[in-house]
Amino acid sequence: MPARRTSVPEARRRVIALLREWGADQQVRDDVELVVSELFTNAVRHTDSEKVGCEVTLVGSYIRIEITDEGGAGVSAPHAQPGSVDKEGGRGLFLVGALSESWGTRPDDGGRGRVVWADLPYTAAAH
């Protein structure tokens, strides 16, 4: 998707539609929506990317979210900012850490960009 703020709601919409197809419960959808929003927004705001990728897969009892950027000069790996819990900005990665079983980064396949991933527990909706 284009690396623009207007792409963030579109990424959320697509992910929620997929999770509904998979039968994920409401809490899972809400948590995944928030994590996708935070990670996608970070890729748009903090990299020189023209495009940002968003992939969601079901791996056993977890949902794996992967946001891929194209990198940029001087862009460091994302990390939670000390003291950012009380600030207006910078809380996103604390939320990602709180909602995820685990999360991290790795270089993308091309070596220039980065993949930020998060694993969230998956629960199917009760029927």
Side-chain angles (χ1 to χ4, degrees):
M1 301 178 87
R4 296 190 304 251
R5 286 185 298 194
T6 55
S7 295
V8 176
E10 178 63 16
R12 286 193 308 252
R13 187 190 65 72
R14 291 180 186 187
V15 167
I16 292 306
L18 179 63
L19 293 176
R20 281 194 178 111
E21 285 179 26
W22 290 350
D25 75 13
Q26 185 65 49
Q27 186 63 54
V28 170
R29 294 193 313 259
D30 291 347
D31 291 351
V32 170
E33 181 178 22
L34 181 57
V35 170
V36 165
S37 183
E38 292 296 340
L39 296 182
F40 200 105
T41 299
N42 283 351
V44 169
R45 290 180 64 196
H46 301 295
T47 72
D48 294 335
S49 302
E50 290 184 26
K51 294 186 179 204
V52 174
C54 178
E55 187 173 332
V56 179
T57 53
L58 189 55
V59 182
S61 61
Y62 291 94
I63 293 174
R64 164 71 52 111
I65 301 164
E66 293 186 345
I67 304 296
T68 305
D69 64 53
E70 296 173 324
V75 178
S76 63
H79 58 281
Q81 297 293 325
S84 63
V85 171
D86 298 327
K87 296 180 183 174
E88 181 63 27
R91 292 184 294 217
L93 292 177
F94 281 107
L95 291 171
V96 170
L99 296 173
S100 304
E101 190 70 25
S102 58
W103 73 277
T105 67
R106 69 173 189 277
D108 75 344
D109 293 338
R112 181 172 181 261
R114 176 178 304 107
V115 176
V116 182
W117 58 268
D119 291 337
L120 281 74
Y122 171 79
T123 307
H127 294 301

